[in-house]
Amino acid sequence: MTLTLPFDNSYARLPDRFFVRQDPVPVAAPGLIAVNDRLAAELGLDASLLATPEGIAAFAGNATPAGAAPLAQAYAGHQFGGWVPQLGDGRAILLGEIVAPGGRRFDLQLKGSGQTPFSRRGDGRAWIGPVIREYIVSEAMAALGVPTTRALAAVTTGETVWRETALPGAVLARVAASHIRVGTFQYFAAREDTEALRLLTDHVIDRHYPGAEGPLALIEAVTAAQARLIAKWMSFGFIHGVMNTDNMAISGETIDYGPCAFMDAYHPGKVFSSIDQFGRYAYGNQPQIAVWNLAQFASCLLPLMGELEPAIEAATTAINRFGVIYQREWLRLFRAKIGLSTEEDGDAKLIEALLTLMAENEADFTRTFRGLVDGTAAAEFADPFAFEVWAEGWQARLAREADPEAVMRSANPAFIPRNHRVEEAIRAAVAGDFAPFHRLNAILAEPYGDQPEAIAYRDAPKPDEIVRRTFCGT
Ligand code: AMP
Ligand code: MG
């Protein structure tokens, strides 16, 4: 028996040059790591069916579910600013799209599913580390309320993957509004394929921005979505780590959890990615990089926008809205983080003063903000007195707020996927023990709760636990 899912594959109906039809490559011995019951329910899927041998075989790529139209998507991209005319799904297969109850359409993609014509020298596989990392972090992001791709399931392959050393292989079943990237547009723009650009634009508008009338409105909509997304990342201390144009989704979801990390000690220049030598994708650079990526996106659409000069001007104006929307969102989110639901002129200064002190005092980002609710923030500062001085002004401001504690509680998580906990889960998984992975997922599903029994998971890493570098998903 093969699994049957409610597929309706609109991307597969686009012309052949958008993708290569390709089945996943079967693996030796599929084994279940996890099925995401909650997400399955949201998608209208029966989780108990997904965890059967048929479901596991489908997620491992050993049996194509009925109704799927497996393919590898073509895309290009700027990687660390350098142009690569052809990337594409080299280790992923889009099985198809599922239409959930209520009509929302989702991609179901397998990541780590074997070689495709886009694999170049890669093996098309993933080891268990990046699969576990993406599962944990993407689900944590969803629980925090950040738009993101999701993890529907993870399986082991029973095969060995070679990454400097022998590691157990795994496949992630990922769900996304779509996997269309800035790099998808770049792929066709570089080939001067205006017809494909038009089809892709219509497809994306239909699917993600039905209110947008034409390419300029699409640029405006994507700019707004990205501004809101990056502001959210910033408000949780999230560093994406590899904001290449092929890793920016047009839908406005966070995509590609390679070398990502949540900051422990706050510093705007923080970088984790082992491949980001020059700090291009440092925490504080993320808004600028988003604008840079959006400019690449907009330039792809120029051929659809009539006369060049006015088109460039209109596109530039549209992208420049990023700063306005981002600032507004950032301020709204950080106001809430310090308990403010009303707006006063000095608020931005108050927030920035706190962040400056946090950087100077190596204060833990998440613990400091949550500590504002719990009254423990001062302890996060090398010089607690510096915080106390700031807090005097803050308290005076809070006196004009109705219920700052409730506001802070729902803006400042107690639990984030701290790097050392993610690494701990990965280490155990490599040794065949998935208990730490499941425990961590369960805790991160309720990030704003107190969960006293999980208090140790709020802790910053001890000096010997600090993870200084994270590695790309390859
Ligand atoms: P990423 O860094 O994950 O955004 O991937 C960049 C490009 O490298 C994409 O085209 C991927 O499909 C490809 N790639 C990454 N890892 C592998 C792999 N193990 N095998 C084949 N292609 C890969
Ligand atoms: Mg990628």
Side-chain angles (χ1 to χ4, degrees):
M1 259 258 316
T2 51
L3 192 67
T4 303
L5 299 173
F7 282 113
D8 174 56
N9 306 316
S10 66
Y11 200 86
R13 292 193 285 270
L14 288 165
D16 283 351
R17 59 194 190 281
F18 280 69
F19 51 77
V20 176
R21 293 200 190 269
Q22 169 78 50
D23 285 328
V25 182
V27 304
L32 185 66
I33 300 174
V35 165
N36 187 341
D37 294 3
R38 278 205 214 188
L39 178 59
E42 276 177 46
L43 300 182
L45 306 175
D46 181 349
S48 65
L49 270 179
L50 301 184
T52 59
E54 289 77 27
I56 298 166
F59 293 133
N62 284 22
T64 302
L71 58 86
Q73 288 178 308
Y75 55 88
H78 280 94
Q79 299 195 309
F80 292 90
W83 171 243
V84 187
Q86 182 169 303
L87 289 162
D89 289 333
R91 57 168 161 180
I93 294 292
L94 176 64
L95 287 179
E97 298 153 34
I98 293 172
V99 182
R104 265 169 74 198
R105 178 180 291 272
F106 296 90
D107 272 5
L108 177 57
Q109 191 203 61
L110 301 183
K111 193 170 173 185
S113 49
Q115 285 180 321
T116 78
F118 301 115
S119 297
R120 289 166 294 168
R121 277 180 294 280
D123 60 3
R125 293 299 183 190
W127 69 280
I128 214 169
V131 168
I132 293 259
R133 171 181 293 276
E134 176 158 345
Y135 195 114
I136 294 169
V137 182
S138 67
E139 286 307 303
M141 291 282 268
L144 288 167
V146 183
T148 177
T149 65
R150 303 286 304 267
L152 180 60
V155 296
T156 50
T157 62
E159 293 179 0
T160 297
V161 173
W162 287 93
R163 300 284 184 272
E164 286 170 14
T165 163
L167 293 159
V171 180
L172 179 73
R174 174 161 84 181
V175 164
S178 84
H179 285 83
I180 299 167
R181 311 139 191 271
V182 169
T184 318
F185 283 83
Q186 289 181 292
Y187 179 86
F188 295 111
R191 285 159 183 75
E192 297 181 22
D193 187 342
T194 310
E195 193 204 46
L197 284 171
R198 190 165 289 126
L199 289 169
L200 185 60
T201 300
D202 289 347
H203 179 87
V204 159
I205 289 176
D206 250 23
R207 216 167 146 176
H208 301 305
Y209 303 99
E213 286 175 21
L216 179 61
L218 178 62
I219 296 169
E220 289 168 349
V222 174
T223 298
Q226 287 294 336
R228 285 193 295 268
L229 177 67
I230 310 293
K232 285 213 161 157
W233 289 0
M234 302 304 273
S235 81
F236 294 116
F238 177 76
I239 305 171
H240 182 282
V242 60
M243 286 176 73
N244 296 333
T245 56
D246 56 304
N247 292 333
M248 184 184 262
I250 297 298
S251 66
E253 289 180 342
T254 311
I255 190 172
D256 208 319
Y257 292 87
C260 65
F262 282 76
M263 269 191 287
D264 299 304
Y266 172 70
H267 195 285
K270 191 125 311 164
V271 179
F272 283 95
S273 167
S274 58
I275 52 174
D276 190 1
Q277 286 174 3
F278 303 104
R280 178 181 169 92
Y281 300 141
Y283 172 79
N285 284 355
Q286 295 185 123
Q288 270 165 259
I289 290 290
V291 171
W292 193 88
N293 289 350
L294 288 164
Q296 307 308 315
F297 173 57
S299 70
C300 294
L301 295 186
L302 292 175
L304 308 182
M305 291 169 61
E307 218 184 308
L308 189 61
E309 287 297 321
I312 292 177
E313 207 176 300
T316 306
T317 306
I319 292 167
N320 284 340
R321 288 279 299 155
F322 182 98
V324 179
I325 301 166
Y326 172 80
Q327 279 305 328
R328 193 178 60 212
E329 275 303 292
W330 185 92
L331 193 52
R332 186 179 69 81
L333 294 169
F334 276 84
R335 270 199 176 104
K337 291 183 83 68
I338 65 166
L340 309 181
S341 55
T342 63
E343 298 177 11
E344 291 187 16
D345 281 346
D347 294 346
K349 272 215 170 101
L350 191 62
I351 295 160
E352 269 147 23
L354 176 61
L355 288 169
T356 301
L357 283 179
M358 286 167 63
E360 287 166 2
N361 285 271
E362 294 181 19
D364 183 271
F365 187 88
T366 302
R367 290 181 62 87
T368 298
F369 283 106
R370 185 71 176 195
L372 296 178
V373 194
D374 301 336
T376 55
E380 304 302 322
F381 289 72
D383 174 11
F385 184 68
F387 172 80
E388 302 292 358
V389 172
W390 175 84
E392 271 177 42
W394 175 53
Q395 290 295 347
R397 174 68 182 83
L398 281 191
R400 299 187 290 280
E401 287 289 329
D403 191 358
E405 200 185 299
V407 172
M408 286 190 282
R409 244 175 219 293
S410 53
N412 299 328
F415 300 95
I416 50 151
R418 291 194 185 261
N419 247 316
H420 66 294
R421 290 296 188 180
V422 175
E423 294 292 333
E424 179 182 67
I426 292 173
R427 271 197 306 275
V430 168
D433 174 13
F434 292 99
F437 164 76
H438 291 299
R439 173 104 209 271
L440 191 52
N441 280 324
I443 293 165
L444 294 171
E446 306 294 340
Y448 300 101
D450 279 324
Q451 303 190 61
E453 70 291 348
I455 193 134
Y457 286 77
R458 290 191 185 198
D459 292 349
K462 298 185 184 70
D464 64 316
E465 291 174 335
I466 295 174
V467 178
R468 295 187 195 281
R469 286 282 173 263
T470 54
F471 294 89
C472 203
T474 54

